[in-house]
Amino acid sequence: MTSAQHVRRSRASAAERGAGRLNTAAERRRRSLTEQHLVQVPLHSHHLYFCRASKMSGELSLNNNIKEPRWDQSTFVGRAKHFFTVTDPRNILLSNDQLERARQIVHDYRHGIVQPGLTEDELWRAKYVYDSAFHPDTEEKMILIGRMSAQVPMNMTITGCMMTFYRTTPAVIFWQWINQSFNAIVNYTNRSGDAPITGSELGTAYVSATTGAVATALGLNALTKHVSPLIGRFVPFAAVAAANCINIPLMRQRELKHGIPITDENGNRIGESANAAKQAISQVVVSRILMAAPGMAIPPFIMNSLEKKAFLKRFPWMSAPIQVGIVGFCLVFATPLCCALFPQNSSMSVSGLEPELQAEIKKKNPGLERVFFNKGL
C-alpha cells in the first residue's frame, strides 16, 4: 500500500468513526425527545408550537380545528349531530376528574401539544365532554343541572309532573315554581358572553317568570273548567311558553342593556352589540318553546286515551311514571333538534348593528359585512 493510499484510508476510517459518533448522538437526542414527548416544530411562519415526537406513523396531527364543532354548522344536519352529542344525558354522570382530563386534552391540543397515544376520536370525545360542562365564553365549569346534558332528565321529570298534577291550584303553583326555578338556572348557566348578572337582576327575572307562569296556568285552568279535559291538558304548555317569553329576556337583561361580544369571521373581537343580543335572545326563546312543544303536545293525546283503559283505572299511580317516560322520549329528540334550529355562532349584517358601532366598524374594518356572536342556549 502506498503512503497516499494509507492516508486516504485513514481519512475514510476517521470519517466513518465521526459519522458513527454523530449518528449515536443524534439517536440519543431523538430518544430523549421521544421520551419527553415534546419537540419544538414550526407549524406556522410566525409561531412555534409544541407537539409530541412521533414514535409511529399515522400519529394524530394538529390539523383538527377543535374550536369549532366536528360537523358542518352551516347545515341543520351538521348542527343536529353536534347537539345530539352535547345534550347526551350520559355526560352528567362524568366525574370531576374526567371533566378535568377532557379540559386538559383540549387546552393542550389548542396549544399544539398532543398527549401520548391520543387518537382523533378520543380528541373529539374530549372536546364534546369539555363543551358539555364548560361555558364557551368564560370557560368556567357550569352548574350541573344547568348544563345542556341535564336538559332531558330534568325536563322529563318536571314536565311529566306538571302535566300529571295540573288540576289543583297548589299543584299548579308548586310545579310551575319548580319549573321556573330550573329554567332560571339553565338560562343563567347558558347566558351568552362573559357579562356578569347582579343578584337583583337575577331575582327580578326569577320572580317575574314564576309569577307569569303561575298566573297563566291558573287563568287558563279557570277558563278550561267547562271544556273538554283534553284541552285542559295543554294548559301547562301555554304556561311554559308564556314563562319562556318572560324568563329568558329578563334573565339576560344585562345583555340587552350592554350588548354581547361580536367578532369578525376570524374570531377577532370587535365590540359589544345590544342588537345582536336581541337577535340571540329571540332565537333562544323560539328554540325553547319549540323544544317543549313535542313533550307537552303529544303526551296529552296518549294519556287521554290511556286513562280510559282498564290498566290505568286499576293502577292510577302509574299515570305519572308513564307520562314522564313519554315526555322523556320526546325530549331526547326535541332537545337537540330544536337547539339546532339556529347556528350557535350566529351572525348578522353590519347594517343591523347600532349606528355608532357601524361607524366604528367602517372606520377600522371597511370591508366587513357580517359579524358573529354566540347566541347562548
Side-chain angles (χ1 to χ4, degrees):
M1 181 184 297
T2 66
S3 59
Q5 289 175 324
H6 181 76
V7 170
R8 282 196 297 272
R9 180 168 292 183
S10 297
R11 289 177 177 173
S13 298
E16 289 173 0
R17 287 194 298 272
R21 286 193 297 270
L22 287 172
N23 289 336
T24 302
E27 178 63 19
R28 284 199 301 267
R29 175 65 174 160
R30 187 192 68 79
R31 286 178 180 174
S32 173
L33 290 172
T34 301
E35 289 168 0
Q36 294 172 18
H37 301 295
L38 292 172
V39 177
Q40 195 174 34
V41 292
L43 298 182
H44 300 285
S45 59
H46 57 290
H47 287 296
L48 285 178
Y49 288 82
F50 287 89
C51 71
R52 186 168 59 88
S54 177
K55 294 203 292 185
M56 63 179 69
S57 60
E59 182 187 287
L60 182 63
S61 73
L62 292 168
N63 295 327
N64 297 290
N65 182 11
I66 60 170
K67 290 183 179 180
E68 299 295 332
R70 190 173 191 176
W71 298 279
D72 181 10
Q73 297 299 283
S74 65
T75 67
F76 176 76
V77 172
R79 294 195 295 272
K81 289 180 179 179
H82 167 71
F83 281 109
F84 266 108
T85 307
V86 169
T87 61
D88 187 342
R90 293 174 297 178
N91 288 337
I92 63 173
L93 302 176
L94 298 174
S95 67
N96 284 332
D97 288 342
Q98 289 172 306
L99 295 178
E100 289 301 324
R101 170 156 174 75
R103 175 157 71 170
Q104 190 62 51
I105 289 173
V106 170
H107 281 202
D108 283 353
Y109 192 84
R110 285 176 177 173
H111 290 86
I113 301 174
V114 180
Q115 297 194 4
L118 187 69
T119 66
E120 184 173 341
D121 285 341
E122 289 171 344
L123 172 66
W124 283 108
R125 172 60 183 157
K127 180 258 192 307
Y128 276 103
V129 168
Y130 174 83
D131 285 353
S132 74
F134 296 91
H135 194 278
D137 293 326
T138 65
E139 297 188 355
E140 295 175 351
K141 188 181 291 184
M142 295 186 286
I143 303 166
L144 180 64
I145 63 172
R147 300 172 192 171
M148 293 311 292
S149 51
Q151 285 289 293
V152 172
M154 291 298 296
N155 269 326
M156 66 183 281
T157 304
I158 295 171
T159 303
C161 289
M162 273 198 303
M163 298 181 68
T164 303
F165 310 108
Y166 67 93
R167 292 182 175 91
T168 66
T169 298
V172 168
I173 293 174
F174 176 76
W175 285 108
Q176 289 295 338
W177 168 67
I178 290 290
N179 186 50
Q180 291 312 313
S181 298
F182 171 65
N183 282 344
I185 294 171
V186 172
N187 294 336
Y188 174 76
T189 304
N190 294 281
R191 66 197 183 282
S192 174
D194 48 15
I197 183 170
T198 65
S200 62
E201 291 171 339
L202 194 63
T204 300
Y206 174 63
V207 172
S208 300
T210 304
T211 303
V214 171
T216 303
L218 293 178
L220 290 176
N221 266 352
L223 292 173
T224 57
K225 281 183 178 178
H226 306 293
V227 297
S228 166
L230 179 61
I231 301 297
R233 289 182 180 274
F234 288 96
V235 169
F237 174 58
V240 166
N244 275 331
C245 294
I246 299 169
N247 194 332
I248 296 173
L250 284 175
M251 193 62 65
R252 297 174 60 174
Q253 60 185 294
R254 190 174 184 84
E255 298 172 31
L256 293 170
K257 292 178 183 176
H258 304 289
I260 57 176
I262 57 172
T263 67
D264 61 19
E265 60 184 1
N266 297 317
N268 299 312
R269 189 160 174 166
I270 297 170
E272 290 76 34
S273 170
N275 287 1
K278 292 175 185 176
Q279 179 174 311
I281 291 170
S282 299
Q283 291 176 348
V284 171
V285 169
V286 171
S287 294
R288 291 287 186 84
I289 292 174
L290 293 178
M291 191 186 298
M296 301 189 85
I298 296 173
F301 293 103
I302 298 175
M303 294 306 298
N304 202 52
S305 175
L306 288 178
E307 286 182 355
K308 298 175 183 177
K309 307 293 183 184
F311 176 75
L312 278 185
K313 288 181 179 179
R314 186 178 178 186
F315 303 103
W317 58 269
M318 284 294 294
S319 179
I322 290 173
Q323 190 136 255
V324 167
I326 296 171
V327 171
F329 178 79
C330 293
L331 286 174
V332 164
F333 298 95
T335 300
L337 292 177
C338 290
C339 283
L341 287 175
F342 305 101
Q344 180 65 32
N345 192 32
S346 284
S347 68
M348 66 185 299
S349 172
V350 170
S351 60
L353 299 173
E354 297 86 330
E356 60 274 14
L357 196 53
Q358 290 185 45
E360 185 179 342
I361 290 174
K362 288 177 181 178
K363 183 179 178 181
K364 295 180 179 179
N365 302 281
L368 191 64
E369 295 182 354
R370 297 195 72 79
V371 293
F372 300 83
F373 52 90
N374 173 25
K375 71 174 177 64
L377 290 170

